[in-house]
Amino acid sequence: MNEKSALILEGGSLRCQFTAGVLDVFLERGVVFPCVAGVSAGALCGINYLSGQIGRTAKINLDFANDKRYMGLGNLVRRHSVFNFDFLFGEVSDTLVPLDRKAFEQSTQRFAAVSTDVRTGEMVIHEKGVSEDILLAARASASLPLLAPIVEVDGKRCLDGGVAMPIPVEWALQEGYEKVVLVLTRQKGYRKRPVRRAAKMAYERMYRDYPMLLWRLNQVPVHYNELQVKINQLERAGRVFVIRPKDPVAVSRVERDTEKLKALYEIGRETALRRMDEMMAYLERP
């Protein structure tokens, strides 16, 4: 593997079952990227990729999709978060589906979780070995606006990395990575719709003390759509290699239908297997 190669993982909550399938194939084939950067649920997938635990992401989502301890409106009422990260990083990671923390920590791969600084609205890169608590940083990265509380990490108050930078491809290029593989969770041509009035009002009530975050939240569709145009240009120029679903993903952020989740995982596996030779040729090309 070219030492100047990076893997970028988009978020999307349970749509990242697609990413889980892709990464499991990478692990089975011994494909190890020197640098991995994940946003939101992409950061959570990246942790299991670094720990080398094939199937762990998919198993957690399948086993606990209908478990109120993991996900549900009850958590939103009790913990101000639709996903119970205390349960995920506690009981799940310690005993139910243990995270190999030693393998993750000792991995020589560079790992970054991307979050958004609520005071400035800017992207924050939290790196393993640099961040005061990289798992807490991943939690911040996956803390969705309105659906999770602000997380304090590395001296900053942070939320979902997708607000400031949903796909940090430009960061990877600026860091000097010559080969960049993107795993996206939306089909080519997907575009976000403008923020609805009800959402704007909810943002204003919740984040009135953070004007730069408010501005970012309202700009998310514009920024995301511009980024997709940029990625398409980079892909055509051979600067990046993109793996994404061929068709629209029929899985919601908080999907409970395990058959849909299983199907999306298999689509990720099939896509990775189908694109593997092409990706390796891209990575090995001077």
Side-chain angles (χ1 to χ4, degrees):
M1 177 71 68
N2 187 328
E3 285 301 313
K4 288 293 185 179
S5 59
L7 176 65
I8 306 297
L9 308 174
E10 184 183 16
S13 295
L14 290 179
R15 287 195 300 272
C16 277
Q17 278 290 92
F18 175 83
T19 306
V22 172
L23 297 185
D24 281 354
V25 169
F26 286 0
L27 288 171
E28 290 166 1
R29 296 294 183 93
V31 179
V32 178
F33 285 83
C35 174
V36 180
V39 180
S40 196
L44 303 182
C45 291
I47 290 169
N48 296 322
Y49 174 63
L50 261 74
S51 69
Q53 292 178 270
I54 296 171
R56 184 172 186 268
T57 297
K59 180 174 176 56
I60 290 171
N61 290 333
L62 290 170
D63 285 0
F64 301 108
N66 291 287
D67 191 322
K68 293 179 181 179
R69 294 174 297 173
Y70 179 52
M71 176 178 67
L73 292 179
N75 289 319
L76 191 60
V77 172
R78 290 189 295 272
R79 299 178 178 85
H80 308 292
S81 178
V82 70
F83 288 96
N84 183 356
F85 290 118
D86 290 335
F87 178 63
L88 176 61
F89 287 106
E91 190 174 354
V92 172
S93 294
D94 292 339
T95 59
L96 298 176
V97 191
L99 170 65
D100 190 339
R101 297 175 189 269
K102 183 177 180 180
F104 170 70
E105 292 166 0
Q106 293 185 350
S107 169
T108 58
Q109 293 165 275
R110 184 183 186 188
F111 175 74
V114 180
S115 73
T116 300
D117 185 326
V118 299
R119 291 192 177 95
T120 66
E122 296 300 317
M123 172 181 72
V124 181
I125 297 290
H126 309 271
E127 288 201 47
K128 181 170 72 77
V130 178
S131 173
E132 63 186 28
D133 186 337
I134 191 61
L135 296 184
L136 183 63
R139 175 174 180 160
S141 179
S143 292
L144 301 173
L146 303 179
L147 299 179
I150 292 169
V151 178
E152 296 217 20
V153 60
D154 296 335
K156 302 178 187 297
R157 293 171 59 79
C158 299
L159 276 176
D160 177 22
V163 176
M165 182 51 64
I167 308 164
V169 58
E170 292 180 324
W171 170 82
L173 294 172
Q174 289 167 2
E175 288 290 295
Y177 291 100
E178 299 167 356
K179 302 290 183 177
V180 180
V181 173
L182 311 178
V183 179
L184 308 185
T185 54
R186 292 290 197 180
Q187 78 279 8
K188 191 169 187 176
Y190 171 79
R191 296 293 183 270
K192 286 186 180 291
R193 296 178 180 178
V195 179
R196 294 179 179 178
R197 184 170 179 271
K200 287 185 178 183
M201 292 175 65
Y203 290 152
E204 288 169 4
R205 285 195 300 270
M206 181 71 77
Y207 304 118
R208 57 183 177 273
D209 294 332
Y210 302 103
M212 295 310 298
L213 176 66
L214 273 175
W215 181 80
R216 279 287 188 190
L217 285 165
N218 288 315
Q219 287 295 308
V220 162
V222 173
H223 183 208
Y224 184 88
N225 296 341
E226 290 176 348
L227 191 54
Q228 291 298 320
V229 172
K230 177 69 173 179
I231 287 169
N232 289 342
Q233 293 171 343
L234 291 168
E235 186 179 24
R236 285 194 299 269
R239 295 289 308 282
V240 304
F241 187 90
V242 183
I243 297 176
R244 58 187 143 202
K246 180 181 178 183
D247 301 310
V249 174
V251 164
S252 73
R253 282 181 175 270
V254 290
E255 186 63 60
R256 294 186 180 276
D257 187 330
T258 56
E259 292 304 314
K260 285 185 177 181
L261 292 172
K262 288 177 185 176
L264 184 56
Y265 173 75
E266 291 300 329
I267 289 170
R269 289 188 58 86
E270 292 164 8
T271 304
L273 288 168
R274 176 169 47 82
R275 304 290 311 280
M276 181 63 68
D277 290 345
E278 189 181 356
M279 183 185 76
M280 295 309 296
Y282 159 79
L283 291 171
E284 293 166 3
R285 191 164 56 239

